[in-house]
Amino acid sequence: MKPIWIVDDDQSIRFVLEKALAREDLAVRSFTNPRDVLLALADGAPQVLVSDIRMPGGSGIDLLIKVKEKFPALPVIIMTAYSDLDSAVSAFQGGAFEYLPKPFDVPKAVELIRRALEESLREDVADERAAEVPEMLGQAAAMQDVFRAIGRLSQSIVTVLITGESGSGKELVASALHKHSPRATGPFVAINTAAIPKDLLESELFGHERGAFTGAQTTRRGRFEQADGGTLFLDEIGDMPFDLQTRLLRVLSDGQFYRVGGHSPMRANVRVIAATHQNLEDRVKQGVFREDLFHRLNVIRLRLPALRERREDVPALTRLFLQKSAKDLGVEAKRITDAALSRLMNFEFPGNVRQLENICHWLTVMAPAQSVEPKDLPPELQTSVSQQRTPALVQDVAVPATSQRPTGEVAHASDIASSAAAPVAHQVSESLGTAAPGAAALDAAANSAKPTPTASDATGVLASVHAALPLAVPVAISTDWLTQLQTEARELLLAGAPDVWDTLTRKFEAQLIHSALDITKGRRIEAAQKLGIGRNTITRKIQELNLD
């Protein structure tokens, strides 16, 4: 690993950072001015560059710009004792990894350098792989099976049927099958049979003669003729109209077809690869897909896994798509944090790989910083993850209907508790495989409820029921914290208190972090992981909220 370069005319700053990084077993090289750094760059770049802004003999911002011209992926951390807006904006506009105002906390500075170092090492690996961008990525076992199948089929021109959900990459597999086949020098022609109106699809596939129909001013070659000597990819074959299926079967059988309005038979030497997201066996049973055509297409079947079945591939695909989007838009590629990657890996991706690629394009355009945090992800990911984390109630508590009682009689709290206790006890006994171990305790909790002419104390009774349950059983009963939050918010708002949002948000964040640190016995990194936030975020919040 290459050393970390420190550029500062202040000897005390250089000394402190050198010693701190040496304790981390990191090699360091120090400079007093930008001019010496530019000369040293002729022999190679550092792993990370940490530079002051104002120095004799040159500006750190100018140095940043010159370094980025030669080494765009090199993380540069800008330090300054002048923490003004212009300096911060100039640093980030120049491509700085981070902005570090002086005086700084040494452990924080080392942690920041560590983060830049990790990013630099990832970039080194990405640069090595970028020399030859792979056609397809996939470490998951299901994708490895697909790769092996493509390899085995590389010397064959047999018909292949690719199945898989929309957006899973079926056309990419078809293209790879063509590229690694004896027909690789021939054309690869693709057509989505579901995207073309029925009246035009026949002409698209087989071509037409001049005057065959209104608007046919010239003779046109169809896709079969265009793919002669190569491969024709028929996407969404399950949606092909039934009458056209007969014509397709004829071509697959003897390679012969007629143009629309034509009378002379045409021949085409074409390998057909078909794909569908539908179950063709079911389509055959429903009578909307020809069984003989199905068997003609289903010679070799490849099933592509959905992205949720290959979550381990999400990080590599994300970085690839971020690089690709940046290249297409002519901008610097975004970096994605581990916390944001973790959020992506937990997403279900109904749109599969195509949806992930769209998300990466969105991030390239919309993410405010070069480093993508979980909060920068699109709204659909924020909503989806919050819904996934919402705990479900064990069972809805069935309160006896008022209509089942004599008119004017109000449901007694003990009755409500009894009716609630029975289903909960049943649920607990089922989960433990025993005969309602807490039944007696539940009855006691229900009977101990204070009699009242209304049902308003039901929540308190349920709390007693909850307390009587074995601790090992995770029964989720509302603690009304949202109601308490609403009450406090209303009181503050009605009283005209200032900064209500900040006040309540600080309380909420402090409680979350305090609970996580308590569970992890003060281990911040582990607490951050449990909360789904970054290490730097929890460190910053602890300081902001005075939780040290």
Side-chain angles (χ1 to χ4, degrees):
M1 186 175 66
K2 293 173 287 189
I4 297 163
W5 288 6
I6 308 295
V7 191
D8 201 311
D9 60 315
D10 188 335
Q11 183 181 1
S12 62
I13 295 293
R14 297 198 308 270
F15 178 80
V16 167
L17 286 177
E18 286 171 1
K19 294 300 180 184
L21 294 173
R23 285 194 295 270
E24 299 287 325
D25 295 325
L26 296 173
V28 183
R29 184 178 177 184
S30 295
F31 300 84
T32 59
N33 60 78
R35 184 180 58 255
D36 293 342
V37 175
L38 293 173
L39 291 173
L41 284 172
D43 298 325
Q47 203 72 49
V48 175
L49 177 64
V50 184
S51 174
D52 192 20
I53 281 188
R54 301 188 183 183
M55 296 173 285
S59 160
I61 298 296
D62 293 338
L63 175 63
L64 167 66
I65 293 171
K66 292 175 182 177
V67 167
K68 283 292 183 179
E69 287 176 356
K70 292 184 177 180
F71 306 99
L74 173 64
V76 179
I77 298 172
I78 292 295
M79 302 182 293
T80 181
Y82 305 91
S83 303
D84 57 275
L85 177 62
D86 289 342
S87 297
V89 171
S90 298
F92 284 114
Q93 285 182 341
F97 178 80
E98 192 54 87
Y99 176 79
L100 184 62
K102 297 178 182 178
F104 51 76
D105 180 49
V106 175
K108 280 185 62 178
V110 171
E111 182 183 1
L112 177 59
I113 293 171
R114 272 282 186 195
R115 188 156 60 88
L117 186 64
E118 293 171 2
E119 183 62 33
S120 178
L121 293 173
R122 275 201 297 264
E123 291 291 340
D124 286 347
V125 174
D127 288 342
E128 291 174 6
R129 293 175 178 173
E132 184 178 349
V133 179
E135 296 174 70
M136 301 176 66
L137 281 175
Q139 295 298 318
M143 284 305 296
Q144 291 298 313
D145 289 341
V146 173
F147 295 163
R148 277 191 288 269
I150 293 174
R152 292 191 184 104
L153 290 167
S154 61
Q155 299 303 314
S156 171
I157 58 171
V158 67
T159 301
V160 178
L161 176 63
I162 306 171
T163 61
E165 295 181 8
S166 295
S168 56
K170 296 187 288 293
E171 184 169 349
L172 200 60
V173 171
S175 179
L177 285 168
H178 168 74
K179 183 178 179 180
H180 298 283
S181 77
R183 293 175 176 260
T185 56
F188 175 78
V189 179
I191 180 172
N192 187 325
T193 59
I196 300 174
K198 175 183 176 182
D199 296 338
L200 299 178
L201 183 57
E202 183 178 13
S203 174
E204 282 291 321
L205 286 172
F206 306 111
H208 62 255
E209 298 288 352
R210 179 181 179 183
F213 50 83
T214 302
Q217 303 292 334
T218 59
T219 300
R220 185 179 184 278
R221 297 167 65 233
R223 300 300 175 93
F224 271 95
E225 290 181 73
Q226 295 171 20
D228 189 33
T231 302
L232 177 62
F233 174 53
L234 301 175
D235 198 7
E236 299 303 345
I237 191 69
D239 292 309
M240 177 176 276
F242 195 84
D243 51 348
L244 280 183
Q245 294 176 26
T246 304
R247 294 201 61 184
L248 176 60
L249 180 63
R250 173 77 180 273
V251 182
L252 294 177
S253 301
D254 57 18
Q256 185 171 293
F257 62 93
Y258 289 86
R259 290 177 181 159
V260 176
H263 302 286
S264 301
M266 310 291 298
R267 299 193 68 85
N269 181 15
V270 174
R271 178 195 191 181
V272 172
I273 298 176
T276 182
H277 72 281
Q278 303 188 64
N279 187 319
L280 289 188
E281 286 94 335
D282 288 345
R283 302 281 288 174
V284 169
K285 291 177 182 177
Q286 295 165 11
V288 293
F289 199 85
R290 291 182 62 105
E291 184 174 8
D292 46 4
L293 177 59
F294 167 68
H295 291 301
R296 177 69 67 173
L297 294 172
N298 191 36
V299 179
I300 300 291
R301 188 187 302 201
L302 291 182
R303 178 190 174 272
L304 275 186
L307 188 54
R308 61 182 173 275
E309 299 174 33
R310 42 182 293 221
R311 296 182 191 273
E312 59 266 48
D313 291 337
V314 170
L317 288 169
T318 301
R319 294 191 178 102
L320 176 68
F321 291 146
L322 286 174
Q323 293 282 348
K324 183 173 179 290
S325 293
K327 184 177 179 181
D328 292 343
L329 296 172
V331 298
E332 185 180 352
K334 303 282 186 181
R335 298 180 292 268
I336 187 160
T337 63
D338 292 339
L341 275 177
S342 177
R343 183 75 61 87
L344 282 173
M345 292 179 70
N346 288 328
F347 187 56
E348 288 300 307
F349 285 106
N352 291 295
V353 180
R354 185 185 296 121
Q355 184 178 13
L356 176 59
E357 185 172 12
N358 291 341
I359 287 172
C360 292
H361 196 72
W362 187 94
L363 289 172
T364 301
V365 176
M366 300 297 293
Q370 281 300 111
S371 184
V372 178
E373 300 284 350
K375 61 182 173 54
D376 301 324
L377 295 173
E380 62 264 27
L381 270 82
Q382 310 287 357
T383 304
S384 173
V385 172
S386 65
Q387 288 175 346
Q388 291 172 14
R389 290 182 178 177
T390 303
L393 293 177
V394 170
Q395 186 165 341
D396 292 333
V397 177
V399 180
T402 307
S403 60
Q404 294 175 340
R405 297 177 172 275
T407 304
E409 185 177 338
V410 181
H412 199 279
S414 60
D415 295 333
I416 297 174
S418 299
S419 63
V424 173
H426 176 69
Q427 183 79 20
V428 172
S429 65
E430 282 190 345
S431 64
L432 295 178
T434 59
L442 292 171
D443 289 339
N447 293 329
S448 65
K450 182 180 178 180
T452 176
T454 69
S456 61
D457 287 337
T459 302
V461 177
L462 289 175
S464 301
V465 173
H466 183 230
L469 293 172
L471 293 177
V473 183
V475 179
I477 295 179
S478 172
T479 58
D480 275 347
W481 71 274
L482 285 174
T483 303
Q484 295 171 16
L485 175 63
Q486 183 182 26
T487 301
E488 185 172 357
R490 287 179 61 85
E491 290 175 354
L492 290 173
L493 291 168
L494 291 172
D499 303 325
V500 174
W501 178 279
D502 290 341
T503 300
L504 294 180
T505 300
R506 287 173 66 86
K507 286 184 178 181
F508 176 74
E509 290 179 338
Q511 188 58 49
L512 280 177
I513 293 173
H514 179 78
S515 300
L517 289 172
D518 185 48
I519 290 171
T520 61
K521 295 181 170 56
R523 293 187 290 274
R524 293 185 180 184
I525 294 178
E526 187 178 343
Q529 291 173 342
K530 287 184 176 295
L531 290 171
I533 60 178
R535 294 176 296 175
N536 291 334
T537 302
I538 195 171
T539 300
R540 187 180 74 252
K541 288 294 183 183
I542 287 172
Q543 293 175 344
E544 291 176 357
L545 301 170
N546 297 319
L547 297 179
D548 283 326

